[in-house]
Amino acid sequence: MNLIEEFNAYRAKMNEKIMAEDNKVIKRFFNLDTNTYAEGELDIKTKEMIGLACSMVLRCDDCIKYHLGKSHEAGLKKEEIFEVFSIALVIGGSIVIPHLRRAVEYWEQLDSQ
């Protein structure tokens, strides 16, 4: 199983378990997250780029993978992704570099599918 399959399988499995608990606050938060990234005044590509940059600065590898996947689905190109990486690096500083490495590896796998 590659990085993408492993991440998506784990995420789906755990989200199913979380949602099965029928916790109203958790369900509302998940719904808020979903609706935040829906098409609106900002297009989906822009929203995913913002989400990716924020995730990198916050150093959340799962979030980075998620937004990379969504960015790829939205049709972002490698050059656009690297501009997002550069913004995250400038804002977050050198602590972002390990996450940048893993993000590049994940993007390469997305692009090779």
Side-chain angles (χ1 to χ4, degrees), residues 27-108:
K27 284 187 172 189
R28 285 184 175 174
F29 186 87
F30 274 52
N31 182 270
L32 177 65
D33 181 71
T34 299
N35 284 311
T36 298
Y37 290 96
E39 187 84 27
E41 292 300 316
L42 296 175
D43 62 18
I44 291 172
K45 286 175 72 170
T46 301
K47 289 183 175 190
E48 288 304 332
M49 287 187 281
I50 293 168
L52 175 59
C54 291
S55 297
M56 292 186 77
V57 171
L58 291 170
R59 302 184 305 272
C60 175
D61 283 332
D62 279 8
C63 303
I64 293 166
K65 289 175 183 172
Y66 175 78
H67 288 293
L68 283 170
K70 289 297 189 180
S71 293
H72 196 267
E73 287 175 20
L76 270 84
K77 295 174 180 44
K78 181 181 178 181
E79 296 79 12
E80 293 171 304
I81 290 297
F82 269 82
E83 285 196 27
V84 175
F85 291 165
S86 66
I87 292 167
L89 186 58
V90 167
I91 294 169
S94 62
I95 193 72
V96 172
I97 292 171
H99 304 279
L100 175 61
R101 290 180 187 123
R102 289 188 288 275
V104 169
E105 176 186 26
Y106 198 79
W107 183 260
E108 286 175 346

